[in-house]
Amino acid sequence: NAGVTQTPKFRVLKTGQSMTLLCAQDMNHEYMYWYRQDPGMGLRLIHYSVGEGTTAKGEVPDGYNVSRLKKQNFLLGLESAAPSQTSVYFCASSVRTTENEKLFFGSGTQLSVL
Amino acid sequence: AQKITQTQPGMFVQEKEAVTLDCTYDTSDPSYGLFWYKQPSSGEMIFLIYQGSYDQQNATEGRYSLNFQKARKSANLVISASQLGDSAMYFCALRGSSASKIIFGSGTRLSIRP
């Protein structure tokens, strides 16, 4: 089982360039999330999705867009990258039952914007 | 609005001692979930434990237990018999029921002394 896969793992951009981060999960999870983690800090929620075709804003959505055209994929786009978007980006998906819940994380994408 | 707070930026504990990591939260949702995650220096996010707001008993997973005090809105993580491998960042997270977004606290860096 691959779980949650993020591509790419590393990327360097110049200010103003655009890029898309791909998150894929093979667990048939409804919920998916994008977070960013700056050095020495916690995870901040960028956008999330509660099902195929849905997206919603998190805590820090400005400068990012997302799409969930297929249930297994959640894409994070940066239209015009800025140095402030230098961070580690984590994707996660979650399963929820009446008794338990768990977030499954990808391994992260290190993004540097010069 | 949801809020989650970890007030201990860092802690030092002697090996084999028990340790309590603090977490307080705020939500107006009638039902919600609380999580704890561990992030070692390798950067991966490791699930530790989950507590649902309607669960009558405190959650336990091996050496980890969650001290859930609903009236105080606290969800402290207790690690019994700490080990050197427990040295890591620890994050508390909250999932509400109205929006299903999951937000994280700022984390506590735990260091275990031999």
Side-chain angles (χ1 to χ4, degrees):
Chain A
N1 238 354
V4 179
T5 303
Q6 291 183 232
T7 52
K9 295 194 184 311
F10 304 93
R11 186 72 186 268
V12 178
L13 289 179
K14 294 181 179 179
T15 298
Q17 286 185 320
S18 63
M19 78 162 294
T20 301
L21 305 181
L22 171 62
C23 177
Q25 53 96 1
D26 61 1
M27 297 171 282
N28 203 34
H29 290 169
E30 291 292 339
Y31 306 96
M32 296 188 74
Y33 306 83
W34 274 108
Y35 296 91
R36 62 175 287 175
Q37 185 178 30
D38 298 328
M41 297 183 67
L43 280 74
R44 291 185 292 171
L45 180 64
I46 305 171
H47 286 282
Y48 65 104
S49 170
V50 300
E52 181 179 317
T54 75
T55 62
K57 293 181 180 180
E59 303 170 287
V60 289
D62 294 343
Y64 304 95
N65 56 73
V66 288
S67 66
R68 183 106 181 262
L69 298 180
K70 293 183 179 181
K71 187 176 185 179
Q72 63 267 33
N73 296 336
F74 195 27
L75 279 63
L76 177 71
L78 286 73
E79 289 187 347
S80 179
S84 61
Q85 294 178 305
T86 293
S87 190
V88 177
Y89 291 83
F90 286 99
C91 176
S93 67
S94 74
V95 60
R96 188 186 305 175
T97 68
T98 54
E99 297 176 345
N100 209 343
E101 186 169 352
K102 186 174 177 179
L103 262 180
F104 294 79
F105 281 87
S107 57
T109 296
Q110 175 70 62
L111 175 65
S112 296
V113 183
L114 306 178
Chain B
Q2 294 176 206
K3 188 177 180 181
I4 189 134
T5 304
Q6 295 179 254
T7 57
Q8 305 155 307
M11 288 186 69
F12 287 89
V13 172
Q14 204 69 28
E15 189 180 9
K16 298 181 184 178
E17 288 184 349
V19 57
T20 298
L21 304 181
D22 295 342
C23 174
T24 59
Y25 62 92
D26 191 21
T27 179
S28 55
D29 288 337
S31 69
Y32 48 90
L34 294 150
F35 307 78
W36 277 93
Y37 276 81
K38 171 184 178 181
Q39 187 180 43
S41 57
S42 58
E44 63 192 297
M45 294 292 290
I46 301 170
F47 170 79
L48 296 178
I49 200 164
Y50 168 82
Q51 177 85 43
S53 59
Y54 286 117
D55 293 341
Q56 297 293 322
Q57 293 187 333
N58 287 341
T60 60
E61 291 280 354
R63 293 187 299 114
Y64 304 106
S65 61
L66 200 152
N67 184 1
F68 181 46
Q69 299 192 31
K70 198 170 183 177
R72 291 187 172 186
K73 293 189 175 180
S74 74
N76 298 340
L77 178 71
V78 180
I79 305 174
S80 63
S82 57
Q83 303 171 354
L84 295 178
D86 293 334
S87 293
M89 283 289 289
Y90 288 80
F91 295 102
C92 180
L94 168 68
R95 190 266 305 149
S97 58
S98 60
S100 293
K101 62 181 178 181
I102 301 177
I103 61 170
F104 281 76
S106 55
T108 296
R109 182 172 296 281
L110 177 64
S111 300
I112 308 298
R113 293 183 174 131

mmCIF file of all heavy atoms in Angstrom, chain B residues 57-90:
data_model
loop_
_atom_site.group_PDB
_atom_site.id
_atom_site.type_symbol
_atom_site.label_atom_id
_atom_site.label_comp_id
_atom_site.label_asym_id
_atom_site.label_seq_id
_atom_site.Cartn_x
_atom_site.Cartn_y
_atom_site.Cartn_z
ATOM 1 N N GLN B 57 -14.228 7.152 27.891
ATOM 2 C CA GLN B 57 -12.948 6.815 28.497
ATOM 3 C C GLN B 57 -11.812 7.522 27.781
ATOM 4 O O GLN B 57 -11.887 7.799 26.581
ATOM 5 C CB GLN B 57 -12.728 5.301 28.435
ATOM 6 C CG GLN B 57 -13.700 4.497 29.296
ATOM 7 C CD GLN B 57 -13.332 3.029 29.341
ATOM 8 O OE1 GLN B 57 -12.726 2.502 28.427
ATOM 9 N NE2 GLN B 57 -13.708 2.358 30.426
ATOM 10 N N ASN B 58 -10.742 7.779 28.521
ATOM 11 C CA ASN B 58 -9.539 8.344 27.928
ATOM 12 C C ASN B 58 -8.904 7.321 26.995
ATOM 13 O O ASN B 58 -8.809 6.143 27.317
ATOM 14 C CB ASN B 58 -8.540 8.739 29.012
ATOM 15 C CG ASN B 58 -8.974 9.977 29.774
ATOM 16 O OD1 ASN B 58 -9.818 10.744 29.297
ATOM 17 N ND2 ASN B 58 -8.411 10.182 30.947
ATOM 18 N N ALA B 59 -8.446 7.819 25.826
ATOM 19 C CA ALA B 59 -7.809 6.931 24.862
ATOM 20 C C ALA B 59 -6.419 6.504 25.340
ATOM 21 O O ALA B 59 -5.711 7.282 25.998
ATOM 22 C CB ALA B 59 -7.693 7.641 23.517
ATOM 23 N N THR B 60 -6.056 5.270 25.025
ATOM 24 C CA THR B 60 -4.715 4.775 25.329
ATOM 25 C C THR B 60 -4.197 3.991 24.124
ATOM 26 O O THR B 60 -4.957 3.311 23.425
ATOM 27 C CB THR B 60 -4.700 3.855 26.563
ATOM 28 O OG1 THR B 60 -5.560 2.737 26.305
ATOM 29 C CG2 THR B 60 -5.186 4.593 27.799
ATOM 30 N N GLU B 61 -2.884 4.131 23.885
ATOM 31 C CA GLU B 61 -2.208 3.378 22.828
ATOM 32 C C GLU B 61 -0.810 3.056 23.335
ATOM 33 O O GLU B 61 0.100 3.862 23.261
ATOM 34 C CB GLU B 61 -2.090 4.207 21.539
ATOM 35 C CG GLU B 61 -3.373 4.476 20.806
ATOM 36 C CD GLU B 61 -3.839 3.296 19.963
ATOM 37 O OE1 GLU B 61 -3.093 2.295 19.871
ATOM 38 O OE2 GLU B 61 -4.953 3.387 19.408
ATOM 39 N N GLY B 62 -0.660 1.869 23.897
ATOM 40 C CA GLY B 62 0.652 1.485 24.410
ATOM 41 C C GLY B 62 1.117 2.408 25.519
ATOM 42 O O GLY B 62 0.442 2.554 26.535
ATOM 43 N N ARG B 63 2.267 3.069 25.350
ATOM 44 C CA ARG B 63 2.803 3.976 26.373
ATOM 45 C C ARG B 63 2.153 5.350 26.346
ATOM 46 O O ARG B 63 2.461 6.202 27.184
ATOM 47 C CB ARG B 63 4.315 4.126 26.194
ATOM 48 C CG ARG B 63 5.124 2.864 26.464
ATOM 49 C CD ARG B 63 6.629 3.146 26.439
ATOM 50 N NE ARG B 63 7.061 3.651 25.139
ATOM 51 C CZ ARG B 63 7.535 4.869 24.932
ATOM 52 N NH1 ARG B 63 7.638 5.723 25.933
ATOM 53 N NH2 ARG B 63 7.919 5.234 23.727
ATOM 54 N N TYR B 64 1.264 5.568 25.372
ATOM 55 C CA TYR B 64 0.622 6.871 25.234
ATOM 56 C C TYR B 64 -0.803 6.822 25.787
ATOM 57 O O TYR B 64 -1.547 5.879 25.531
ATOM 58 C CB TYR B 64 0.563 7.285 23.764
ATOM 59 C CG TYR B 64 1.900 7.303 23.067
ATOM 60 C CD1 TYR B 64 2.247 6.311 22.165
ATOM 61 C CD2 TYR B 64 2.824 8.310 23.323
ATOM 62 C CE1 TYR B 64 3.473 6.330 21.518
ATOM 63 C CE2 TYR B 64 4.055 8.336 22.690
ATOM 64 C CZ TYR B 64 4.368 7.340 21.784
ATOM 65 O OH TYR B 64 5.588 7.355 21.149
ATOM 66 N N SER B 65 -1.161 7.843 26.503
ATOM 67 C CA SER B 65 -2.546 8.000 26.927
ATOM 68 C C SER B 65 -2.925 9.464 26.797
ATOM 69 O O SER B 65 -2.065 10.357 26.855
ATOM 70 C CB SER B 65 -2.749 7.509 28.364
ATOM 71 O OG SER B 65 -1.952 8.250 29.262
ATOM 72 N N LEU B 66 -4.196 9.701 26.603
ATOM 73 C CA LEU B 66 -4.688 11.067 26.436
ATOM 74 C C LEU B 66 -5.549 11.397 27.639
ATOM 75 O O LEU B 66 -6.571 10.736 27.871
ATOM 76 C CB LEU B 66 -5.483 11.188 25.131
ATOM 77 C CG LEU B 66 -5.667 12.600 24.572
ATOM 78 C CD1 LEU B 66 -5.816 12.561 23.054
ATOM 79 C CD2 LEU B 66 -6.894 13.254 25.200
ATOM 80 N N ASN B 67 -5.154 12.398 28.392
ATOM 81 C CA ASN B 67 -5.903 12.845 29.562
ATOM 82 C C ASN B 67 -6.915 13.883 29.087
ATOM 83 O O ASN B 67 -6.603 15.071 28.973
ATOM 84 C CB ASN B 67 -4.945 13.430 30.598
ATOM 85 C CG ASN B 67 -5.666 13.818 31.880
ATOM 86 O OD1 ASN B 67 -6.875 13.635 32.004
ATOM 87 N ND2 ASN B 67 -4.927 14.353 32.828
ATOM 88 N N PHE B 68 -8.131 13.414 28.817
ATOM 89 C CA PHE B 68 -9.173 14.247 28.229
ATOM 90 C C PHE B 68 -10.059 14.823 29.326
ATOM 91 O O PHE B 68 -10.720 14.071 30.044
ATOM 92 C CB PHE B 68 -10.006 13.416 27.248
ATOM 93 C CG PHE B 68 -11.100 14.170 26.543
ATOM 94 C CD1 PHE B 68 -10.859 15.411 25.977
ATOM 95 C CD2 PHE B 68 -12.374 13.622 26.429
ATOM 96 C CE1 PHE B 68 -11.863 16.095 25.316
ATOM 97 C CE2 PHE B 68 -13.386 14.296 25.765
ATOM 98 C CZ PHE B 68 -13.128 15.540 25.209
ATOM 99 N N GLN B 69 -10.037 16.154 29.478
ATOM 100 C CA GLN B 69 -10.893 16.827 30.444
ATOM 101 C C GLN B 69 -11.779 17.802 29.679
ATOM 102 O O GLN B 69 -11.368 18.936 29.389
ATOM 103 C CB GLN B 69 -10.043 17.525 31.501
ATOM 104 C CG GLN B 69 -9.166 16.549 32.291
ATOM 105 C CD GLN B 69 -8.535 17.173 33.509
ATOM 106 O OE1 GLN B 69 -9.088 18.080 34.125
ATOM 107 N NE2 GLN B 69 -7.357 16.683 33.864
ATOM 108 N N LYS B 70 -12.978 17.339 29.367
ATOM 109 C CA LYS B 70 -13.862 18.072 28.463
ATOM 110 C C LYS B 70 -14.267 19.426 29.030
ATOM 111 O O LYS B 70 -14.303 20.423 28.308
ATOM 112 C CB LYS B 70 -15.106 17.222 28.179
ATOM 113 C CG LYS B 70 -15.902 17.635 26.964
ATOM 114 C CD LYS B 70 -16.945 16.592 26.648
ATOM 115 C CE LYS B 70 -17.714 16.940 25.397
ATOM 116 N NZ LYS B 70 -18.692 15.892 25.038
ATOM 117 N N ALA B 71 -14.588 19.469 30.302
ATOM 118 C CA ALA B 71 -15.024 20.728 30.904
ATOM 119 C C ALA B 71 -13.914 21.776 30.878
ATOM 120 O O ALA B 71 -14.179 22.966 30.726
ATOM 121 C CB ALA B 71 -15.488 20.484 32.331
ATOM 122 N N ARG B 72 -12.689 21.330 31.029
ATOM 123 C CA ARG B 72 -11.533 22.241 30.993
ATOM 124 C C ARG B 72 -11.036 22.481 29.579
ATOM 125 O O ARG B 72 -10.130 23.279 29.360
ATOM 126 C CB ARG B 72 -10.382 21.662 31.814
ATOM 127 C CG ARG B 72 -10.614 21.639 33.300
ATOM 128 C CD ARG B 72 -9.342 21.216 34.011
ATOM 129 N NE ARG B 72 -9.442 21.353 35.447
ATOM 130 C CZ ARG B 72 -8.434 21.149 36.277
ATOM 131 N NH1 ARG B 72 -7.256 20.802 35.806
ATOM 132 N NH2 ARG B 72 -8.612 21.292 37.579
ATOM 133 N N LYS B 73 -11.583 21.738 28.612
ATOM 134 C CA LYS B 73 -11.141 21.809 27.218
ATOM 135 C C LYS B 73 -9.634 21.551 27.120
ATOM 136 O O LYS B 73 -8.890 22.323 26.493
ATOM 137 C CB LYS B 73 -11.530 23.139 26.582
ATOM 138 C CG LYS B 73 -13.037 23.307 26.430
ATOM 139 C CD LYS B 73 -13.419 24.517 25.618
ATOM 140 C CE LYS B 73 -14.929 24.555 25.401
ATOM 141 N NZ LYS B 73 -15.348 25.730 24.596
ATOM 142 N N SER B 74 -9.220 20.481 27.745
ATOM 143 C CA SER B 74 -7.815 20.105 27.652
ATOM 144 C C SER B 74 -7.691 18.651 27.199
ATOM 145 O O SER B 74 -8.564 17.821 27.482
ATOM 146 C CB SER B 74 -7.098 20.311 28.982
ATOM 147 O OG SER B 74 -7.463 19.317 29.910
ATOM 148 N N ALA B 75 -6.608 18.361 26.501
ATOM 149 C CA ALA B 75 -6.362 17.021 25.948
ATOM 150 C C ALA B 75 -4.870 16.747 26.026
ATOM 151 O O ALA B 75 -4.173 16.716 25.013
ATOM 152 C CB ALA B 75 -6.868 16.952 24.511
ATOM 153 N N ASN B 76 -4.390 16.547 27.224
ATOM 154 C CA ASN B 76 -2.951 16.385 27.437
ATOM 155 C C ASN B 76 -2.495 14.973 27.077
ATOM 156 O O ASN B 76 -3.182 13.994 27.346
ATOM 157 C CB ASN B 76 -2.595 16.674 28.892
ATOM 158 C CG ASN B 76 -2.911 18.111 29.279
ATOM 159 O OD1 ASN B 76 -3.040 18.983 28.433
ATOM 160 N ND2 ASN B 76 -3.043 18.344 30.581
ATOM 161 N N LEU B 77 -1.311 14.896 26.499
ATOM 162 C CA LEU B 77 -0.704 13.607 26.162
ATOM 163 C C LEU B 77 0.219 13.182 27.301
ATOM 164 O O LEU B 77 1.055 13.966 27.740
ATOM 165 C CB LEU B 77 0.097 13.708 24.867
ATOM 166 C CG LEU B 77 0.828 12.433 24.437
ATOM 167 C CD1 LEU B 77 -0.161 11.372 23.961
ATOM 168 C CD2 LEU B 77 1.849 12.741 23.333
ATOM 169 N N VAL B 78 0.061 11.954 27.731
ATOM 170 C CA VAL B 78 0.927 11.395 28.771
ATOM 171 C C VAL B 78 1.738 10.256 28.156
ATOM 172 O O VAL B 78 1.173 9.349 27.553
ATOM 173 C CB VAL B 78 0.119 10.882 29.971
ATOM 174 C CG1 VAL B 78 1.063 10.310 31.028
ATOM 175 C CG2 VAL B 78 -0.738 12.002 30.556
ATOM 176 N N ILE B 79 3.053 10.362 28.290
ATOM 177 C CA ILE B 79 3.946 9.297 27.830
ATOM 178 C C ILE B 79 4.538 8.657 29.083
ATOM 179 O O ILE B 79 5.212 9.328 29.880
ATOM 180 C CB ILE B 79 5.074 9.837 26.938
ATOM 181 C CG1 ILE B 79 4.513 10.639 25.762
ATOM 182 C CG2 ILE B 79 5.926 8.678 26.407
ATOM 183 C CD1 ILE B 79 5.577 11.319 24.911
ATOM 184 N N SER B 80 4.287 7.390 29.248
ATOM 185 C CA SER B 80 4.832 6.706 30.425
ATOM 186 C C SER B 80 6.222 6.156 30.090
ATOM 187 O O SER B 80 6.502 5.831 28.937
ATOM 188 C CB SER B 80 3.916 5.556 30.844
ATOM 189 O OG SER B 80 3.859 4.590 29.811
ATOM 190 N N ALA B 81 7.074 6.098 31.076
ATOM 191 C CA ALA B 81 8.403 5.490 30.912
ATOM 192 C C ALA B 81 9.093 5.962 29.635
ATOM 193 O O ALA B 81 9.316 5.183 28.703
ATOM 194 C CB ALA B 81 8.284 3.965 30.919
ATOM 195 N N SER B 82 9.439 7.232 29.597
ATOM 196 C CA SER B 82 9.992 7.820 28.380
ATOM 197 C C SER B 82 11.288 7.124 27.949
ATOM 198 O O SER B 82 12.058 6.620 28.776
ATOM 199 C CB SER B 82 10.227 9.318 28.586
ATOM 200 O OG SER B 82 11.079 9.538 29.686
ATOM 201 N N GLN B 83 11.500 7.142 26.627
ATOM 202 C CA GLN B 83 12.676 6.519 26.028
ATOM 203 C C GLN B 83 13.414 7.561 25.194
ATOM 204 O O GLN B 83 12.841 8.564 24.788
ATOM 205 C CB GLN B 83 12.245 5.345 25.127
ATOM 206 C CG GLN B 83 11.440 4.295 25.841
ATOM 207 C CD GLN B 83 10.847 3.271 24.873
ATOM 208 O OE1 GLN B 83 10.953 3.404 23.655
ATOM 209 N NE2 GLN B 83 10.204 2.258 25.425
ATOM 210 N N LEU B 84 14.683 7.295 24.915
ATOM 211 C CA LEU B 84 15.471 8.243 24.127
ATOM 212 C C LEU B 84 14.819 8.506 22.765
ATOM 213 O O LEU B 84 14.872 9.624 22.241
ATOM 214 C CB LEU B 84 16.899 7.720 23.942
ATOM 215 C CG LEU B 84 17.726 7.589 25.212
ATOM 216 C CD1 LEU B 84 19.111 7.016 24.886
ATOM 217 C CD2 LEU B 84 17.875 8.925 25.921
ATOM 218 N N GLY B 85 14.199 7.481 22.204
ATOM 219 C CA GLY B 85 13.547 7.620 20.908
ATOM 220 C C GLY B 85 12.298 8.481 20.928
ATOM 221 O O GLY B 85 11.732 8.786 19.871
ATOM 222 N N ASP B 86 11.875 8.903 22.121
ATOM 223 C CA ASP B 86 10.714 9.788 22.224
ATOM 224 C C ASP B 86 11.087 11.244 21.953
ATOM 225 O O ASP B 86 10.205 12.101 21.836
ATOM 226 C CB ASP B 86 10.082 9.682 23.620
ATOM 227 C CG ASP B 86 9.461 8.320 23.881
ATOM 228 O OD1 ASP B 86 9.064 7.643 22.909
ATOM 229 O OD2 ASP B 86 9.396 7.926 25.070
ATOM 230 N N SER B 87 12.363 11.535 21.860
ATOM 231 C CA SER B 87 12.797 12.901 21.566
ATOM 232 C C SER B 87 12.288 13.297 20.179
ATOM 233 O O SER B 87 12.617 12.663 19.182
ATOM 234 C CB SER B 87 14.324 13.008 21.606
ATOM 235 O OG SER B 87 14.816 12.808 22.902
ATOM 236 N N ALA B 88 11.471 14.332 20.128
ATOM 237 C CA ALA B 88 10.818 14.739 18.876
ATOM 238 C C ALA B 88 9.947 15.955 19.142
ATOM 239 O O ALA B 88 9.826 16.401 20.283
ATOM 240 C CB ALA B 88 9.956 13.607 18.322
ATOM 241 N N MET B 89 9.343 16.475 18.071
ATOM 242 C CA MET B 89 8.281 17.473 18.199
ATOM 243 C C MET B 89 6.955 16.731 18.333
ATOM 244 O O MET B 89 6.732 15.726 17.658
ATOM 245 C CB MET B 89 8.235 18.380 16.968
ATOM 246 C CG MET B 89 9.308 19.424 16.914
ATOM 247 S SD MET B 89 9.064 20.728 18.140
ATOM 248 C CE MET B 89 7.649 21.591 17.455
ATOM 249 N N TYR B 90 6.083 17.259 19.189
ATOM 250 C CA TYR B 90 4.772 16.668 19.393
ATOM 251 C C TYR B 90 3.703 17.714 19.119
ATOM 252 O O TYR B 90 3.769 18.834 19.642
ATOM 253 C CB TYR B 90 4.634 16.138 20.820
ATOM 254 C CG TYR B 90 5.453 14.885 21.052
ATOM 255 C CD1 TYR B 90 6.823 14.971 21.297
ATOM 256 C CD2 TYR B 90 4.872 13.619 20.978
ATOM 257 C CE1 TYR B 90 7.578 13.835 21.475
ATOM 258 C CE2 TYR B 90 5.622 12.479 21.167
ATOM 259 C CZ TYR B 90 6.977 12.592 21.407
ATOM 260 O OH TYR B 90 7.731 11.456 21.577
#
